[in-house]
Amino acid sequence: MKCISWNVNGLRAAVGKGFLDYFTAADADFFSVQETKLQEGQIDLPLPGYHQFWNYAEKKGYSGVAVFAKKEPLSVQYGMGVDEHDHEGRLITLEYPSFYYVTAYVPNSQDKNARLAYRMCWEDDLRAFLGKLDEKKPVIFCGDLNVAHEEIDLKNPKPNIGNAGFTYEERGKFGELLESGFVDSFRYFYPDLTGAYSWWSYRFNARKNNAGWRIDYYLVSKRIADKMSDAKIHTEVMGSDHCPVELDIDL
């Protein structure tokens, strides 16, 4: 089973930069996108052979996630059932007979960490949500999680300590999520690989110089970690300030 997740930073813009060509060539069983920046009816995406699931933010041109799946799920949930979090189009959960597939666009803590307190609340509620799913059946969880977990996960860790995406608080919450029963698929296969990033600033020729951050992930329940065959970061794919990440798993 091939799973791909990509923060497209505006799906209409990405379509204009070859999104559909990549989507078709990838031929994934699940294809998740974050930061669609769409409202319902603003795009007609021809994806034959796929079921489409969209969660839109109430605020126009903001956030938004979608999942395109070859197999129809047993059920679909939009959001996590917490009103405080469910107006920004950040979460979709698909249920299948033997697993849950969840995609998220985790809130950014913003400049001067203006939204860090809210982010901590989100993290706790998300971990509880995923934990309840995991009690029923294994979980595949992906998306732009807006955190570089360890210093190996960004090019310039020291000057970024305390900045959004690399605060001790955010990194700690990611660690708590792993400790609650999840595995970071990429580090499972490549624990010491450096220079592996999924996001680059548009400034300072960051992508050309590979001055990036790894903030896009596939996590899986620990009990299905041995079902994974590979995890990939497709740095060759352009069209966004993020690149797609992939999980290959046999479920």
Side-chain angles (χ1 to χ4, degrees):
M1 195 166 74
K2 182 178 183 179
C3 309
I4 289 179
S5 177
W6 190 10
N7 180 324
V8 292
N9 194 9
L11 186 54
R12 285 176 293 181
V15 167
K17 299 174 184 176
F19 173 85
L20 289 172
D21 290 338
Y22 175 68
F23 180 91
T24 301
D27 191 29
D29 296 283
F30 293 92
F31 198 115
S32 303
V33 291
Q34 301 88 41
E35 224 175 341
T36 58
K37 298 183 178 180
L38 289 169
Q39 305 303 122
E40 187 171 7
Q42 287 190 311
I43 196 170
D44 180 18
L45 209 58
L47 304 176
Y50 285 85
H51 302 276
Q52 301 188 27
F53 305 96
W54 300 81
N55 193 359
Y56 307 99
E58 292 180 1
K59 180 181 177 181
K60 292 183 178 179
Y62 180 74
S63 189
V65 295
V67 183
F68 313 126
K70 285 185 176 180
K71 291 186 177 180
E72 187 173 4
L74 299 175
S75 68
V76 185
Q77 180 175 343
Y78 300 96
M80 63 177 83
V82 178
D83 186 68
E84 181 182 8
H85 305 314
D86 288 351
H87 297 274
E88 296 187 356
R90 293 188 178 275
L91 198 69
I92 296 175
T93 302
L94 306 184
E95 180 187 5
Y96 289 88
S98 60
F99 65 96
Y100 290 98
Y101 184 94
V102 184
T103 193
Y105 175 44
V106 172
N108 189 298
S109 294
Q110 299 183 348
D111 291 341
K112 299 181 180 178
N113 295 315
R115 216 180 185 199
L116 181 59
Y118 171 71
R119 167 73 178 267
M120 294 297 97
C121 179
W122 160 279
E123 294 282 358
D124 288 339
D125 290 340
L126 175 69
R127 190 173 64 257
F129 175 78
L130 294 174
K132 288 178 180 177
L133 295 180
D134 193 40
E135 289 175 1
K136 300 174 185 176
K137 57 186 82 171
V139 176
I140 297 172
F141 174 54
C142 71
D144 175 0
L145 306 190
N146 258 319
V147 60
H149 183 214
E150 303 287 1
E151 291 192 357
I152 194 176
D153 294 315
L154 69 166
K155 177 72 171 182
N156 298 303
K158 293 294 190 278
N160 279 295
I161 291 174
N163 289 342
F166 202 59
T167 63
Y168 291 117
E169 294 89 342
E170 292 163 312
R171 296 165 65 193
K173 291 297 183 185
F174 189 89
E176 287 180 41
L177 180 57
L178 296 181
E179 289 167 8
S180 74
F182 289 89
V183 172
D184 175 350
S185 63
F186 189 78
R187 287 297 172 217
Y188 180 87
F189 290 104
Y190 309 104
D192 303 313
L193 184 64
T194 60
Y197 310 125
S198 64
W199 173 79
W200 304 262
S201 170
Y202 280 131
R203 298 180 295 172
F204 311 122
N205 291 315
R207 191 156 186 171
K208 180 180 178 181
N209 297 322
N210 198 29
W213 299 46
R214 189 175 72 95
I215 60 175
D216 302 270
Y217 296 83
Y218 266 97
L219 308 185
V220 304
S221 298
K222 282 184 179 178
R223 64 186 182 280
I224 58 169
D226 62 347
K227 304 292 186 183
M228 299 188 295
S229 56
D230 202 1
K232 302 169 185 173
I233 301 177
H234 291 288
T235 55
E236 76 282 1
V237 178
M238 311 301 281
S240 170
D241 52 348
H242 296 249
C243 74
V245 296
E246 177 179 337
L247 170 69
D248 301 321
I249 188 169
D250 183 15
L251 285 178

